[in-house]
């Protein structure tokens, strides 16, 4: 199982297996791996790189879970604990519209006292600002919690949320699927199997979603490949995932800040490249610049990546954990970053419809 043999298979359009993905992770020539990943990407996407104008709203950091990797959560009454009012949410959405945003991205803690109706009102509040705004909201973990609050089950809960304005789901909460690692990482969170089951029901409800993987903590490379395998299998069944987003663990303010945790630039690029090669049924692979940093995100455009996320604005979760990137990036800065990498910037909406080619 040489690199040349795997590369020949990939260039011929073949699907690699888990053992071959592991071999790619272990291949010492990072540039050869990047070139192979970029050939896969260009065959599908050419030199076009997507971004969007979006706004994050993290409506509360009060959460019933105590995930060890998370520096965002607080208990009610803790210093720094907060819950936005609907008026504050409306204000953020109005600011986003003025900046030309097409998407509002809403995720937050599992608040122990908010009723299900609050979340319906939250969605309706954003949509009332502009019906043209796409609301990408609530991870699979949040959907499980909201279904418990509503007492309606997953499908009926999704229908209620859709009626209130939900347009698609982000991919958070996946973390890593391997049970022995997940139980150490986030023991109170739903299982990886439950996350996958909820996403399957999301897709069956006609909603698109993203998919993530948190890496650089307690997991092995084999755990990463297994995580991607399960995503690929679900994508084969539903086709509902729009993009894969590897999330680089930020250890600085985490309970998991131990020697060796976190990622290197080489690890980031290798993970993105292997993902692009292995996840042959995903149209898009995103470099989330908030966690990777602007320079590694830019270099990743030569390692199989075709999406840089967006303008973001006021991202709290990664920054609470120690990300030292800016809170926002302007449209002009993203366009310049992509152009300097020798690629073509393409502004998109949430569902990957092209809005403008630069």
């Amino acid at each position: 199982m040489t690199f040349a043999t795997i590369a020949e298979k990939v260039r011929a359009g073949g699907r690699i297996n888990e053992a071959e993905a592991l071999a790619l992770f272990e291949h010492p020539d990072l540039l050869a791996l990047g070139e192979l990943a970029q050939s896969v990407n260009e065959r599908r996407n050419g030199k076009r790189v997507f971004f969007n104008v979006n706004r994050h709203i993290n409506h509360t950091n009060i959460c019933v879970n105590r995930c060890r990797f998370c520096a965002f959560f607080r208990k009610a009454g803790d210093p720094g604990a907060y819950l936005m009012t609907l008026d504050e949410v409306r204000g953020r959405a109005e600011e986003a519209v003025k900046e030309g945003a097409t998407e509002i991205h809403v995720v937050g803690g599992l608040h122990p006292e908010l009723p299900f109706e609050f979340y319906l009102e939250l969605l309706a509040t954003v949509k009332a600002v502009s019906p043209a705004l796409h609301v990408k909201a609530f991870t699979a973990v949040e959907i499980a919690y909201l279904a418990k609050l509503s007492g309606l089950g997953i499908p009926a809960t999704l229908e209620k949320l859709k009626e209130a304005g939900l347009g698609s789901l982000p991919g958070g909460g996946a973390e890593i699927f391997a049970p022995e690692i997940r139980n150490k990482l986030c023991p109170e969170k739903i299982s990886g199997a439950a996350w996958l089951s909820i996403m399957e029901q999301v897709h069956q409800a006609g909603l698109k979603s993203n998919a993530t993987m948190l890496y650089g903590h307690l997991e092995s490379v084999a755990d990463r490949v297994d995580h991607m395998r399960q995503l690929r299998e679900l994508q084969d069944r539903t086709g509902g995932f729009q993009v894969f987003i590897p999330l680089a663990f930020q250890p600085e303010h985490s309970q998991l800040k131990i020697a060796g945790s976190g990622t290197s630039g080489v690890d980031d690029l290798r993970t993105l490249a292997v993902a692009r090669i292995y996840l042959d049924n995903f149209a898009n692979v995103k470099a989330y610049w908030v966690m990777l940093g602007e320079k590694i995100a830019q270099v990743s455009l030569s390692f199989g990546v075709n999406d840089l996320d967006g303008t973001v604005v006021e991202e709290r979760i990664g920054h609470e954990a120690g990300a030292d990137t800016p809170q926002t990036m302007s449209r002009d800065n993203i366009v310049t970053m992509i152009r300097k990498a020798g690629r073509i910037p393409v502004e998109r909406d949430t569902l990957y419809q092209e809005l403008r080619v630069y």
Side-chain angles (χ1 to χ4, degrees), residues 92 160 163 178 185 232 300 330:
R92 301 294 201 281
K160 289 286 188 183
E163 290 169 7
L185 198 66
R232 191 170 78 172
S300 76
S330 72

Side-chain angles (χ1 to χ4, degrees), residues 322-354:
D324 57 5
T325 50
Q327 285 274 354
T328 186
M329 193 185 300
S330 72
R331 180 195 276 112
D332 289 346
N333 284 348
I334 295 177
V335 167
T336 299
M337 180 193 297
I338 295 169
R339 280 182 171 155
K340 285 186 174 180
R343 307 294 177 217
I344 301 169
V346 180
E347 186 176 340
R348 61 167 175 84
D349 66 11
T350 307
L351 301 178
Y352 284 82
Q353 302 299 308
E354 295 183 9

Side-chain angles (χ1 to χ4, degrees), residues 156-232:
T157 297
L158 288 170
E159 285 304 313
K160 289 286 188 183
L161 294 170
K162 284 171 63 178
E163 290 169 7
L166 179 65
S168 66
L169 270 73
E175 320 314 357
I176 205 80
F177 292 145
E180 64 277 13
I181 304 301
R182 193 178 186 87
N183 289 339
K184 295 175 183 176
L185 198 66
C186 47
E188 299 175 51
K189 189 168 280 184
I190 62 172
S191 68
W195 189 96
L196 290 161
S197 173
I198 290 168
M199 281 305 190
E200 185 157 14
Q201 293 174 78
V202 165
H203 300 163
Q204 289 169 346
L207 293 166
K208 296 292 187 180
S209 75
N210 298 345
T212 63
M213 175 181 72
L214 185 70
Y215 68 100
H217 42 85
L218 303 174
E219 90 291 351
S220 66
V221 171
D223 292 327
R224 298 184 196 179
V225 173
D226 178 68
H227 186 99
M228 290 190 283
R229 173 189 63 80
Q230 294 184 68
L231 290 175
R232 191 170 78 172

Side-chain angles (χ1 to χ4, degrees), residues 138-175:
F138 310 137
T139 66
V141 176
E142 289 171 276
I143 294 297
Y145 188 69
L146 296 184
K148 183 178 177 182
L149 288 180
S150 71
L152 297 174
I154 300 294
T157 297
L158 288 170
E159 285 304 313
K160 289 286 188 183
L161 294 170
K162 284 171 63 178
E163 290 169 7
L166 179 65
S168 66
L169 270 73
E175 320 314 357

Side-chain angles (χ1 to χ4, degrees), residues 19-38:
E20 290 165 329
L22 281 170
L24 292 180
F25 262 112
E26 294 164 1
H27 185 60
D29 191 337
L30 179 66
L31 296 183
L33 176 64
E35 190 277 332
L36 181 61
Q38 191 58 12

Side-chain angles (χ1 to χ4, degrees), residues 24 33-34 37 268-278 303-305:
L24 292 180
L33 176 64
D268 294 330
L269 295 172
R270 187 178 298 278
T271 301
L272 288 160
V274 174
R276 177 61 287 170
I277 296 165
Y278 182 78
F303 282 74
V305 165

